[in-house]
Amino acid sequence: MIAIAYLGPHGTYSELAAETYARWHNTANYQLRPFRSITRAIQATVDHDADVCVVPVENSIGGSVAETLDTLWQASNLQVQQALILPIHHALVSTAQVLSDIRVVYSHPQALAQCQNWLAQSLPEAQLTAINSTTEGLKYLPEQPTAATISSLRAAQLHSLPVMAHPINDWPDNCTRFWVLSPQTATQGSHTSIAFGLPTNTPGALLKPLQLFATQNINMSRIESRPTKRTLGEYLFFVEIEASLASPQTQAALQLLDSCTEKLKCFGSYDLIQAEACKRASTVA
Amino acid sequence: MIAIAYLGPHGTYSELAAETYARWHNTANYQLRPFRSITRAIQATVDHDADVCVVPVENSIGGSVAETLDTLWQASNLQVQQALILPIHHALVSTAQVLSDIRVVYSHPQALAQCQNWLAQSLPEAQLTAINSTTEGLKYLPEQPTAATISSLRAAQLHSLPVMAHPINDWPDNCTRFWVLSPQTATQGSHTSIAFGLPTNTPGALLKPLQLFATQNINMSRIESRPTKRTLGEYLFFVEIEASLASPQTQAALQLLDSCTEKLKCFGSYDLIQAEACKRASTVA
C-alpha cells in the first residue's frame, strides 16, 4: 500500500495527477491523502506520514508554483521521482439557468487567471472570488443559483453538478507539470533539477553556471528565479537540465558548479510522463 | 494636474506608492485613480484615461507580480519612468477583543503568504481567505468581530479600525518594487529593463544574451522567466541591467541581442527611489 499526499479536496487536478501516477505504476493498492495546502502535503511526506506526494510545479499559463519551489528549498530533503505533464481543461459549473444569472465566480487564483479572457467576454459583470482550490467552491452551488465555479469536468461529475460551458480556458494548450516527491535518492532519469544561490555584486555571476552546462553540451529545459527573502534583489535559481545525475557530463558540471554558487541543492533525476495533449512542449534555453 | 492610476481601493500599498511618486515630484496637483486590477490600471494609461500608472512588479518575499509582467509584454507600449522601492509592514486589523476570538483572516494572497508563519503560530485555527486587495476586507470588520484582515497601518487608520498586532510579516526586510509607467519615451536612467523570447531547442540559447551584457561589463540586477503561454517549456525572459539605454555599451549589447533573440522589447531607462528601510537591496546576477 502506498499513501499519496496531494492538495485536496476530492476532485482537484492534483488528485487526478496522483491517480495518474498510481495507474502508471500499475498499482491498485494505494491510498489518496488530501491536504489543505501544498506545503502540508510536502511536510507529510517529510514526516513519513505519506510515502510520496504529488505537487504542481509549473503551469503553461500561470508559470511557476512558488509555494512548491519555496517549500522544497527551505524545508525538505525530498527528491523528484517522476515528472507528470497533464492537460488542464476548465469547466464553468453552476446551477444557474442562463449565464446572465451568474453574479459571482469562485476558483483558485491560477484557474481564474487561466480563464480571464473568457470571463471578461462571457461574464463581464460577475465578481471573481479567489479561494484555496478549484473544488472548494462546489459546495456553495446547490444553495446559490447565482454562483459558479471554475473546476474540472471530473469535479463537476463527482458532485453531480451541471456544466454550463467547457472548455473555457483562454489557451487551448493549457498544461500543468507535477512532481512526484519522496525521500528516496533519485540518480537516474532523463532530467535533473537543481537550485542554487549566487555570490552577490559580481557582473556575470549567473553566466558561469550556465556556461558549465553548455560546455558539457547539456541542454537546460527550464530556469526560474525565486527571491531569497532576505533582501529585494537576491535570488535563488531553479534549473532543470536534460541529463541524468549519473552521467559523467552532469557530474563534471556539478563539481565545478559548487565553486561558483552559494548553497547548491540537487533534487534528483527523473523521467517525464507526458499526456498526448501536452506533447508540443519543448526545450528553450 | 496629473492623473495616477493604481490598484485600489483606497488605502492599498499601491496607493501609498502613487502618493510617494507625486510627493517625489513635488506636485500637489495630482488626482488618484483607483482601479479594480493591475491590468485595468495599465490599460487606462494606454488609453490616455490616466497620465501614469503605478504598479507593483516584485516583492522580496512573494517574487514577481505575474499580472504586471504579462500585461506589459502583451498589450502595451508603456515605458518605465521610475522605480520605487517601499517597505511593506503588515498589521492585523480586527474588532475582536482577543486573538483567540478570530475565526477568519481576509487579505490579498501575497499578504497572506508574507505572514504565513505568524498566522500558523498566532492563529493556527483561523481560516485564511484570499480576496482582491489588502483593504477590500476592511468593510466586513465592523459587523464581524470574529474576522480580521492583513492590511497596512495606514488603511486601518483611514477606516478608523483597531490594530491588534504590528508588524506581523515573517521577514522584517519585506519590500516591494513598483514601476511608474507612461507612454513617454524613457532613455536616461541608472537601470534599463528589457524582455525577449528565445529560439527553441538550442543548448545554451540563454547563454548568448547574458554573455553580451557581461562582455560590455554591464551588471544584470534581475532575471525572471515567464511562460509564453503557447506551450509548457517556452519562456520569455525579463532582464534588468544596471546601465542607461543611452550608453554606448547598452546600445552595442542591444544591437547584438536582436540577432540571438525572438521579439525583443525594451521598457526604457529609469532611476530608483529607494526607502531607507530597503537599502540593503543589492545586485546578484
Side-chain angles (χ1 to χ4, degrees):
Chain A
M1 166 77 83
I2 56 165
I4 309 176
Y6 65 96
L7 173 67
H10 195 33
T12 58
Y13 291 101
S14 291
E15 185 178 270
L16 192 63
E19 283 176 344
T20 305
Y21 169 72
R23 214 168 41 239
W24 187 262
H25 280 266
N26 234 342
T27 178
N29 203 11
Y30 65 91
Q31 186 200 17
L32 293 175
R33 301 209 39 209
F35 285 83
R36 277 186 57 196
S37 71
I38 293 170
T39 304
R40 288 182 196 198
I42 293 175
Q43 197 53 46
T45 317
V46 172
D47 296 344
H48 300 283
D49 289 338
D51 298 300
V52 299
C53 60
V54 177
V55 291
V57 275
E58 186 192 8
N59 174 269
S60 55
I61 312 300
S64 277
V65 182
E67 187 178 352
T68 300
L69 298 181
D70 290 356
T71 307
L72 269 181
W73 174 263
Q74 280 165 36
S76 91
N77 287 309
L78 300 182
Q79 301 258 291
V80 185
Q81 309 296 323
Q82 194 118 57
L84 299 168
I85 301 182
L86 300 180
I88 304 290
H89 294 141
H90 295 301
L92 189 81
V93 186
S94 177
T95 56
Q97 293 299 313
V98 288
L99 277 182
S100 55
D101 286 347
I102 295 173
R103 294 278 167 272
V104 55
V105 180
Y106 299 104
S107 200
H108 188 276
Q110 282 240 359
L112 291 171
Q114 289 161 22
C115 303
Q116 60 184 325
N117 294 342
W118 189 89
L119 290 167
Q121 274 166 25
S122 308
L123 294 169
E125 299 301 322
Q127 190 197 326
L128 310 181
T129 297
I131 53 175
N132 285 329
S133 75
T134 52
T135 55
E136 200 183 271
L138 293 166
K139 62 183 176 214
Y140 307 131
L141 299 186
E143 312 283 298
Q144 292 185 30
T146 59
T149 69
I150 297 174
S151 311
S152 66
L153 273 187
R154 188 164 160 276
Q157 285 156 0
L158 283 171
H159 290 79
S160 307
L161 285 163
V163 169
M164 292 195 72
H166 175 268
I168 62 163
N169 30 292
D170 297 328
W171 304 78
D173 294 334
N174 191 357
C175 294
T176 292
R177 178 193 302 250
F178 295 86
W179 273 353
V180 180
L181 302 165
S182 91
Q184 210 177 311
T185 308
T187 57
Q188 298 277 1
S190 58
H191 290 68
T192 301
S193 272
I194 59 166
F196 52 80
L198 288 174
T200 50
N201 279 320
T202 320
L206 179 60
L207 202 59
K208 283 181 208 160
L210 305 194
Q211 269 167 338
L212 292 176
F213 293 122
T215 305
Q216 296 292 337
N217 213 21
I218 295 172
N219 213 343
M220 197 169 72
S221 42
R222 176 161 172 65
I223 180 166
E224 178 67 27
S225 60
R226 286 291 305 151
T228 60
K229 309 198 183 207
R230 282 198 302 249
T231 181
L232 198 73
E234 265 187 37
Y235 305 98
L236 301 171
F237 292 91
F238 288 78
V239 168
E240 185 187 71
I241 55 172
E242 295 182 341
S244 178
L245 194 55
S247 83
Q249 289 82 357
T250 309
Q251 287 297 319
L254 287 185
Q255 236 169 36
L256 294 168
L257 204 58
D258 213 29
S259 65
C260 61
T261 56
E262 273 179 5
K263 195 176 175 187
L264 173 65
K265 211 164 166 174
C266 181
F267 301 116
S269 288
Y270 46 90
D271 287 327
L272 232 68
I273 304 172
Q274 202 160 359
E276 265 318 308
C278 299
K279 285 253 165 98
R280 284 212 300 136
S282 65
T283 304
V284 278
Chain B
M1 166 78 84
I2 55 166
I4 310 175
Y6 65 96
L7 172 66
H10 196 31
T12 58
Y13 291 101
S14 291
E15 186 179 88
L16 192 63
E19 284 177 344
T20 305
Y21 169 73
R23 216 168 38 239
W24 187 263
H25 281 266
N26 235 343
T27 178
N29 202 10
Y30 64 92
Q31 186 199 19
L32 293 175
R33 302 208 39 209
F35 284 84
R36 276 184 58 196
S37 71
I38 293 170
T39 303
R40 289 182 195 197
I42 292 175
Q43 198 52 49
T45 317
V46 172
D47 297 343
H48 300 284
D49 288 338
D51 298 300
V52 298
C53 60
V54 178
V55 292
V57 274
E58 185 193 10
N59 175 269
S60 55
I61 312 300
S64 277
V65 182
E67 188 178 351
T68 300
L69 298 181
D70 290 357
T71 307
L72 269 182
W73 175 263
Q74 280 166 36
S76 92
N77 287 310
L78 300 183
Q79 301 257 292
V80 185
Q81 309 296 325
Q82 193 119 57
L84 298 168
I85 301 182
L86 300 180
I88 304 289
H89 294 140
H90 294 303
L92 188 81
V93 185
S94 177
T95 56
Q97 292 299 313
V98 287
L99 277 182
S100 55
D101 286 348
I102 295 172
R103 294 278 166 274
V104 56
V105 180
Y106 299 104
S107 201
H108 189 275
Q110 282 241 0
L112 292 170
Q114 289 162 20
C115 303
Q116 61 184 325
N117 294 342
W118 188 89
L119 290 166
Q121 275 167 25
S122 308
L123 295 169
E125 300 301 324
Q127 191 198 324
L128 309 182
T129 297
I131 54 175
N132 284 331
S133 75
T134 52
T135 54
E136 198 183 271
L138 293 166
K139 63 183 175 215
Y140 307 132
L141 299 186
E143 312 284 297
Q144 293 185 30
T146 58
T149 68
I150 296 175
S151 310
S152 66
L153 273 187
R154 187 164 159 276
Q157 284 157 1
L158 283 171
H159 290 79
S160 306
L161 285 164
V163 169
M164 292 195 71
H166 175 267
I168 62 164
N169 31 291
D170 297 329
W171 304 79
D173 294 335
N174 190 358
C175 294
T176 291
R177 178 193 303 250
F178 295 86
W179 274 351
V180 181
L181 302 165
S182 92
Q184 209 177 311
T185 309
T187 56
Q188 298 278 0
S190 58
H191 291 68
T192 300
S193 271
I194 58 166
F196 52 80
L198 289 173
T200 50
N201 279 319
T202 320
L206 178 59
L207 202 57
K208 283 181 210 161
L210 304 194
Q211 268 166 339
L212 291 176
F213 293 122
T215 305
Q216 296 291 339
N217 212 22
I218 294 172
N219 212 346
M220 198 168 72
S221 42
R222 176 160 173 66
I223 181 167
E224 179 67 26
S225 60
R226 288 290 306 151
T228 60
K229 311 198 182 209
R230 283 198 302 251
T231 181
L232 197 72
E234 264 188 37
Y235 305 99
L236 300 172
F237 292 90
F238 288 78
V239 169
E240 184 187 70
I241 55 172
E242 295 182 341
S244 178
L245 194 55
S247 82
Q249 288 83 357
T250 308
Q251 287 297 319
L254 287 186
Q255 234 169 37
L256 294 167
L257 204 58
D258 213 31
S259 65
C260 60
T261 56
E262 275 180 3
K263 196 178 175 186
L264 173 64
K265 209 164 169 175
C266 182
F267 301 116
S269 289
Y270 46 88
D271 288 326
L272 232 68
I273 302 173
Q274 201 160 0
E276 266 317 308
C278 299
K279 285 253 164 99
R280 286 212 299 136
S282 64
T283 305
V284 280

